[in-house]
Amino acid sequence: MSISVSDVHWATAGVMIVNGVSLEVPSGKTLGLIGPNGSGKSSLLRLICRLRKVRSGVIALGDTAIDAMTRHDIARRVAFVEQQATTETQVTVLDVVRLGRTPHRGPWSPWNSADDEAVSNALRQVGMVEKTQQFWHTLSGGERQRVHIARALAQTPSELLLDEPTNHLDIQHQLEILSLVSTLPVTSVIALHDLNLAAMFCDRIAVLNHGRIVAAGTAEEVLTEGLIAEVFGVRAHVERSPHHGRQHIHFLGCILEVPDVR
Ligand SMILES: Nc1ncnc2c1ncn2[C@@H]1O[C@H](COP(=O)(O)OP(=O)(O)OP(=O)(O)O)[C@@H](O)[C@H]1O
Ligand SMILES: [Mg+2]
């Protein structure tokens, strides 16, 4: 396994946020992490790259527990695009993407052609080559998101963690970015709110609710009308898409009656 999470707990302020989570992601596969707001998706991603420390349980990358790795070891293999990533204002797109190379460079090692190649590939993959010299603070929301994804790709990770990477992206870029990630030779965990995108692009899906995994498997196994009703409180009609053969979900509405406020 490329990423394995075994019975992981994490609590803060006396509240258990990640409550006995176990999951495994084989090398090169894409796991979609879905669940309502506050269910623990971002917290779990932070634990996987050790921005937070587990209270109990074990997280391993390959055969090595992350507790036995240095920060530098982790940074060389795991790239993380946070849900609300920010960047200093007086920097260009190129400066931001070049930061992705930091874990691969020693304090005295000169910038080399492998660094250049990783940065230009990443800019090309997210379609931001023409904006290379533009200042970060002048970019649109979707362009900023794509630059953060490019920074992660420039890191040439073996594991890629993306927290709602389609935020701010128009539909074309949502499809392009997820299609890119799902075909890259990296192991990915992607927190997503769009269940149809999760079904289209993820090999497997894990559903978090109140810090626990309540379902895991292929989209077909997991994204049932019953589960969507139970976890999200929404009526849905699930069918197989004629275009890509995967689950396709039509949302019919909220299950709870809206109270009459008149
Ligand atoms: N440092 C913290 N202190 C207090 N509460 C926290 C902390 N970090 C997370 N939480 C709480 O843990 C819960 C899970 O948060 P998390 O950000 O992991 O949810 P999420 O599934 O990513 O939600 P969303 O879909 O809204 O991004 C939330 O109720 C949040 O308020
Ligand atoms: Mg989140």
Side-chain angles (χ1 to χ4, degrees):
M1 287 298 155
S2 179
I3 300 175
S4 73
V5 174
S6 310
D7 198 22
V8 160
H9 292 79
W10 179 71
T12 185
V15 181
M16 194 62 78
I17 306 291
V18 175
N19 196 353
V21 166
S22 296
L23 54 85
E24 297 204 315
V25 196
S27 290
K29 297 292 182 188
T30 302
L31 176 76
L33 207 53
I34 64 171
N37 292 140
S39 55
K41 302 179 297 297
S42 300
S43 303
L44 180 58
L45 291 177
R46 287 194 195 115
L47 290 167
I48 295 174
C49 60
R50 221 182 61 188
L51 280 180
R52 299 241 189 283
K53 207 170 163 353
V54 298
R55 169 186 272 203
S56 65
V58 178
I59 296 176
L61 299 175
D63 295 330
T64 314
I66 56 169
D67 280 351
M69 299 171 81
T70 64
R71 283 235 147 269
H72 195 229
D73 290 337
I74 295 173
R76 263 189 303 206
R77 62 180 288 171
V78 183
F80 182 28
V81 177
E82 295 216 57
Q83 190 170 356
Q84 273 142 3
T86 53
T87 296
E88 295 299 316
T89 50
Q90 284 304 321
V91 290
T92 64
V93 166
L94 184 61
D95 296 329
V96 175
V97 180
R98 288 179 83 151
L99 285 175
R101 298 306 298 161
T102 311
H104 297 286
R105 306 181 57 239
W108 309 110
S109 52
W111 188 263
N112 63 33
S113 57
D115 296 319
D116 267 335
E117 197 183 328
V119 168
S120 45
N121 272 344
L123 283 162
R124 188 179 40 74
Q125 284 172 314
V126 303
M128 287 295 288
V129 173
E130 275 150 34
K131 304 269 177 180
T132 303
Q133 296 304 335
Q134 193 167 327
F135 277 105
W136 163 262
H137 65 277
T138 65
L139 296 176
S140 76
E143 288 167 348
R144 289 180 184 198
Q145 185 72 344
R146 282 151 59 201
V147 171
H148 274 138
I149 293 166
R151 178 193 42 74
L153 298 178
Q155 212 174 319
T156 53
S158 46
E159 284 86 16
L160 178 60
L161 311 178
L162 300 171
D163 199 349
E164 298 185 30
T166 52
N167 267 357
H168 304 294
L169 298 189
D170 63 57
I171 187 66
Q172 184 198 347
H173 286 108
Q174 291 182 20
L175 295 171
E176 276 183 11
I177 291 288
L178 289 179
S179 163
L180 166 70
V181 171
S182 66
T183 52
L184 286 174
V186 298
T187 308
S188 313
V189 183
I190 313 179
L192 278 173
H193 278 301
D194 188 319
L195 306 190
N196 281 315
L197 291 179
M200 277 171 79
F201 292 106
C202 299
D203 299 302
R204 293 177 75 79
I205 292 174
V207 186
L208 268 178
N209 201 13
H210 302 297
R212 296 177 190 273
I213 302 271
V214 293
T218 61
E220 201 170 347
E221 290 162 349
V222 167
L223 296 176
T224 61
E225 290 166 10
L227 177 120
I228 292 167
E230 184 189 320
V231 173
F232 295 97
V234 163
R235 277 198 206 98
H237 173 63
V238 180
E239 62 184 22
R240 196 177 278 275
S241 163
H243 304 297
H244 45 71
R246 299 222 184 170
Q247 297 293 90
H248 187 81
I249 302 156
H250 301 276
F251 297 100
L252 305 175
C254 192
I255 283 173
L256 298 172
E257 293 296 318
V258 179
D260 189 352
V261 290
R262 281 172 300 170

